[in-house]
Amino acid sequence: MSLLEIKHLNKSYDSKTNVLKDINFEIESGDLVSVIGPSGAGKSTLLRCINRMVNFDDGKIIFDGKDTTHYKKRELRKLRTDIGMVFQHYNLVPRLTVIENVLHGRLGYKSTIQGLLSMFTEVEKENAFSLLDTLGIVEHAYKRCDQLSGGQQQRVGIARALIQNPKLILCDEPIASLDPNASKVIMTYLKQITRDMNITCIVNLHQVDVAREYSDRIIALNKGAVVFDGSHLQLTEERMNHVYGMETRELITV
Ligand code: ADP
């Protein structure tokens, strides 16, 4: 059974222009799938439809065997504990410590009052330290997040997603603000997470060369439609031109 099935998904923001047009694909557990395509192609909107940060007009999204299309408040809350999110600008609370930010990933499991009082169990705290250790930043646990480099902050963002115990992690341009070395570290950790923890990752990427190096599969969007879906070996020069068009093609590093 696929972890995620997207069927005939259409989305518009203004009910005139379709930002996503008849999107169809399935994703298996434990894959690292990159979504590439020019700016404005709909990559971010696609990710936001999957965890329902935005609603879509029609189509179906089936996650872990359940049709989430008509999910309301309570079901959406549960869905979002199963789907972690990693953002380009990390979305951490800068004045809080690393460990506090990681523990925030557990808030989806708490009542409002437990959340307000930051009531976390010993097991949750142990897990948070263990994840920081896995991601190589445990020595920074008590530092404020704004004292960390961009790459380290993104690792905190990944730990915060992982502590949710998700089945799927959506990463929206996770390396767009990082230098090449920090980008490599982040992509290596994402790859490791899919392989060792059997967590599926869908990663929006600008950098085609990175998508080629780390992904099990690449899905390319152009103007809201899927124009390529396959392995990096199948992403030939000709198909790349189809994804980006000849004009924008020169701007992309391959
Ligand atoms: P990408 O991630 O590939 O750059 P986006 O999903 O961000 O693409 O955007 C796809 C299209 O949807 C763009 O034309 C963008 O301007 C539009 N768009 C994105 N978010 C909104 C929004 N909140 N309201 C209106 N239009 C939006």
Side-chain angles (χ1 to χ4, degrees), residues 13 19 38-45:
Y13 284 103
V19 169
S39 191
K43 304 181 293 295
S44 191
T45 302

Side-chain angles (χ1 to χ4, degrees), residues 175-199:
I175 57 169
S177 306
L178 303 179
D179 64 42
N181 277 338
S183 298
K184 266 190 189 169
V185 171
I186 293 298
M187 290 308 297
T188 304
Y189 278 122
L190 291 177
K191 185 80 200 155
Q192 189 181 318
I193 287 161
T194 58
R195 202 188 45 217
D196 300 348
M197 302 182 185
N198 198 36
I199 295 173

Side-chain angles (χ1 to χ4, degrees), residues 12 20 23 33 56 66 72 105 165 206 209 214 217 245 252:
S12 64
L20 296 175
I23 305 280
V33 179
F56 45 90
K66 297 189 191 81
K72 296 274 179 302
N165 219 1
H206 241 69
D209 49 342
Y214 293 92
R217 175 174 162 200
I252 315 274

Side-chain angles (χ1 to χ4, degrees), residues 94-151:
R95 64 188 166 75
L96 293 185
T97 62
V98 165
I99 196 77
E100 285 169 321
N101 270 282
V102 175
L103 285 164
H104 275 184
R106 294 298 299 172
L107 290 178
Y109 289 95
K110 309 265 168 207
S111 66
T112 315
I113 194 77
Q114 283 175 322
L116 282 172
L117 296 174
S118 295
M119 289 164 68
F120 299 105
T121 64
E122 284 309 308
V123 172
E124 287 173 324
K125 289 177 197 166
E126 272 168 32
N127 283 345
F129 278 106
S130 162
L131 286 168
L132 288 175
D133 193 29
T134 305
L135 292 159
I137 46 170
V138 73
E139 71 272 26
H140 302 302
Y142 293 110
K143 281 189 188 159
R144 279 169 54 134
C145 272
D146 54 8
Q147 292 174 342
L148 267 54
S149 70

Side-chain angles (χ1 to χ4, degrees), residues 199-250:
I199 295 173
T200 309
C201 285
I202 306 181
V203 188
N204 280 356
L205 286 173
H206 241 69
Q207 303 84 340
V208 180
D209 49 342
V210 176
R212 279 183 191 281
E213 188 174 345
Y214 293 92
S215 317
D216 297 304
R217 175 174 162 200
I218 299 173
I219 294 175
L221 295 183
N222 193 344
K223 297 188 182 128
V226 173
V227 289
F228 173 83
D229 184 350
S231 76
H232 67 100
L233 295 173
Q234 294 165 314
L235 189 58
T236 58
E237 191 75 6
E238 195 190 350
R239 285 180 169 143
M240 281 291 294
N241 289 336
H242 184 46
V243 173
Y244 288 95
M246 291 305 267
E247 329 79 64
T248 49
R249 182 73 181 75
E250 288 149 27

Side-chain angles (χ1 to χ4, degrees), residues 86-92 135 137 148-160 172-176 178 186:
V86 171
F87 302 88
Q88 176 180 350
H89 298 296
Y90 330 123
N91 283 22
L92 304 172
L135 292 159
I137 46 170
L148 267 54
S149 70
Q152 289 166 336
Q153 291 191 53
Q154 193 56 292
R155 282 188 261 171
V156 179
I158 293 171
R160 182 186 53 190
D172 199 3
E173 302 278 2
I175 57 169
L178 303 179
I186 293 298

